[in-house]
Structure formats: structure tokens, C-alpha cells
Amino acid sequence: MALVTMKELLTKAQRGNYGVGAFSVANMEIVMGVIKAAEELNSPVILQVAQVRLPYSPLAIFGPMMVAAAKEAKVPVAVHLDHGLDIDHVEKALEIGFTSVMIDASHDSLDENISKVKTVKALADKYGATVEAEVGQVGGSEDGSEDIAMMYSDINDILNLYEATKLDALAIAIGNAHGFYKETPKLNFDLLKEAAESIPIPLVLHGGSGISDDDFRKCIQYGIRKINVATSTFVSTVDAVNDYISSVGRPEYFAMSRSMVDGAYANVSRLIKVFGSDGKA
């Protein structure tokens, strides 16, 4: 159990036809809530932090905490750098002990994307770590600061990036977006199915907050194996804290800390069941 590579988790999910939740974390309490849910439901899980969140959760401090939590867990846990934007941060994450990294060059040309993925793959291979990339462009932005237009992945780009890099997991754009959706997302399941049939590696769905349970299940049916969730967990955590504060006259710090754990746990445990990874550790 304990700390494993993301490739190990996703390969097993491929065989079992279920999804693994990749839950973005921002503090110790959210980490504890994710691990609590995973252990209680006997589920594999991925702890991740995006590079744009590092001003709030510094990698040198928070990264070792994530790795330590994974090592202490009773279920298999991968630790992942999400949306890495430069080689320096990718390398730092690997040095800390992250077992997976994503290099996001989806905003670049395909040739430049391939070049960056090759560089990261060569680096990650030295650490035995998993590499994820993105082709097409998922809408919104990871930190909510931009309203980036979604660009559907092109099947030829998917094939070319995989063949040129032999990376381990690929995020594609099928109508999904980061953050909460302004309207009900209309996912392109035909594109998803074609991508899954065209390349042998696990596919990744970014922007999991706001997608319906039925669409999650359909995505998994058609080949999604890693599902990124951030916003809904953060909102659940804040809501739990607000409920606690409103129920007492004077908040007590450690009780408030427990409410953060409970808030993260509530969202993660529900989604683990939706993704079908419960009992799969």
C-alpha cells in the first residue's frame, strides 16, 4: 500500500474499468479528509496540487507533507504535480518524492508540446515517475483567474503526441472545464471513445466539479481513468467550516480544523463511490 506511482493505479483501473479520483489539496486538513475517505472505502486515490496553487501551498513545505501522508496511508496513494508549467517545478516535485508529474503545454503548438513532454519524460524516468500531459485545451483556468476558451482535442494531435512521447496518461478536452460550469456541460463522448480506442494509455478528465454523476460514469465507461476534482472539494470544506462557525458562539480552532477534514471527506467519499474505485485498493 502507501506511496505508489500513478501509472500503477491507472493501469489497474484500466483492467477493472473504474476511475481513480485525483483530488486537489491545499492544506493538511484537506489531505487528511482525502486519506480518511480513501481508507474508509478501501480505495486508491491521487493527491495532487497544481503549480498555480503553490503561492498558497508552497511546494517545499506542502509537498513533503503530501508524500508523508501517502506513505502513512493504508491504501495506495499517488502524489501528483498537476498542471506543471515549467521544468524547474517539475524537477523540484520529483526531488521531493512526487510519483507523478504533469507538464501542461496545451497552450503551445503541438511540436512544442511534444518537445516539452519528451523533456519531462526523460527526467521523470530517472525517478520512476508517471508523466501526464494535455492536448487540446480544457476551458477555464486552474485557479479561476481566467476564462480560457475550451478547444476540443484533435484525434490526430492525440495520436501524434502519444506516438512521439510514449507518455503515461493524457488529458483531453471533450467539453470539460476547470471550476464550476456556467451551464450544463455537453461532453463529446464520441471523441472520448475514439481517443480511448486509438491510444493504449489511460485518459484523464480535468474539470470534474460540476459534471453529473451519470456523465462521470459514462466517461469511465468510455475510457477515462483519472478524474481531477478541485473546486467541489474546496467548496465542501468551506461550507463545513461555515456550518461549524454558525453553530457555535465562539469558534475553537481545533474544532474548526476537524470541520475542514469533515468537509473534504464528505465530497471525496461521495465521488469515490461514483467513480467505482471503492473496494479496489
Side-chain angles (χ1 to χ4, degrees), residues 105-119 134-135 156-157 160-161 164-165:
S106 59
H107 53 284
D108 293 328
S109 68
L110 180 63
D111 286 345
E112 183 65 21
N113 194 349
I114 287 171
S115 176
K116 289 181 179 179
V117 173
K118 282 183 174 180
T119 299
E134 182 176 314
V135 65
N156 292 318
D157 290 349
N160 288 334
L161 190 142
T165 65

Side-chain angles (χ1 to χ4, degrees), residues 1 3 10 17 21 42 75-76 87 93 97 114 123 135 143 146-147 151 166 170-171 190-191 229 248 265:
M1 299 300 181
L3 182 64
L10 299 186
N17 197 32
N42 196 34
V75 294
I87 301 300
I114 287 171
L123 179 61
V135 65
D143 61 356
E146 299 179 77
D147 188 16
M151 294 174 59
K166 296 296 195 262
L170 184 62
D190 289 337
L191 173 59
V229 177
V248 297
Y265 163 84

Side-chain angles (χ1 to χ4, degrees), residues 9-251:
L9 297 187
L10 299 186
T11 298
K12 188 177 178 182
Q14 285 272 65
R15 293 196 298 264
N17 197 32
Y18 58 87
V20 178
F23 297 99
S24 292
V25 292
N27 61 18
M28 180 182 70
E29 287 82 1
I30 297 177
V31 171
M32 291 171 65
V34 174
I35 298 296
K36 178 183 176 183
E39 289 183 337
E40 184 176 291
L41 295 171
N42 196 34
S43 172
V45 74
I46 299 162
L47 295 176
Q48 64 182 26
V49 63
Q51 183 172 328
V52 294
R53 301 292 186 186
L54 297 182
Y56 307 96
S57 307
L59 187 59
I61 300 170
F62 191 55
M65 182 195 303
M66 295 168 66
V67 172
K71 288 180 177 179
E72 291 295 318
K74 298 174 183 176
V75 294
V77 180
V79 179
H80 176 70
L81 177 68
D82 192 34
H83 288 283
L85 302 175
D86 58 71
I87 301 300
D88 287 346
H89 281 87
V90 167
E91 188 166 19
K92 180 63 176 178
L94 292 168
E95 290 171 352
I96 287 171
F98 280 43
T99 58
S100 179
V101 291
M102 177 191 182
I103 182 68
D104 183 1
S106 59
H107 53 284
D108 293 328
S109 68
L110 180 63
D111 286 345
E112 183 65 21
N113 194 349
I114 287 171
S115 176
K116 289 181 179 179
V117 173
K118 282 183 174 180
T119 299
V120 169
K121 186 74 167 64
L123 179 61
D125 283 350
K126 297 177 183 178
Y127 293 85
T130 303
V131 174
E132 176 187 336
E134 182 176 314
V135 65
Q137 194 162 281
V138 175
S141 64
E142 186 64 24
D143 61 356
S145 64
E146 299 179 77
D147 188 16
I148 298 171
M150 188 276 299
M151 294 174 59
Y152 282 105
S153 299
D154 181 275
I155 192 64
N156 292 318
D157 290 349
I158 291 171
L159 287 166
N160 288 334
L161 190 142
Y162 170 71
E163 291 295 340
T165 65
K166 296 296 195 262
L167 78 168
D168 304 298
L170 184 62
I172 62 173
I174 58 170
N176 45 315
H178 295 112
F180 276 130
Y181 293 84
K182 297 176 181 178
E183 56 187 36
T184 302
K186 296 178 176 61
L187 302 182
N188 187 336
F189 294 107
D190 289 337
L191 173 59
L192 171 57
K193 187 176 180 180
E194 185 178 10
E197 292 172 347
S198 299
I199 59 174
I201 59 173
L203 298 178
V204 180
L205 182 72
H206 286 211
S209 298
I211 292 176
S212 71
D213 292 353
D214 285 344
D215 277 355
F216 275 137
R217 295 186 183 101
K218 196 169 181 180
C219 284
I220 292 166
Q221 176 188 346
Y222 287 151
I224 290 293
R225 296 292 165 246
K226 174 178 181 267
I227 303 166
N228 285 18
V229 177
T231 304
S232 64
T233 303
F234 297 148
V235 169
S236 182
T237 302
V238 170
D239 286 347
V241 172
N242 286 337
D243 288 346
Y244 162 70
I245 291 174
S246 66
S247 70
V248 297
R250 182 180 177 85

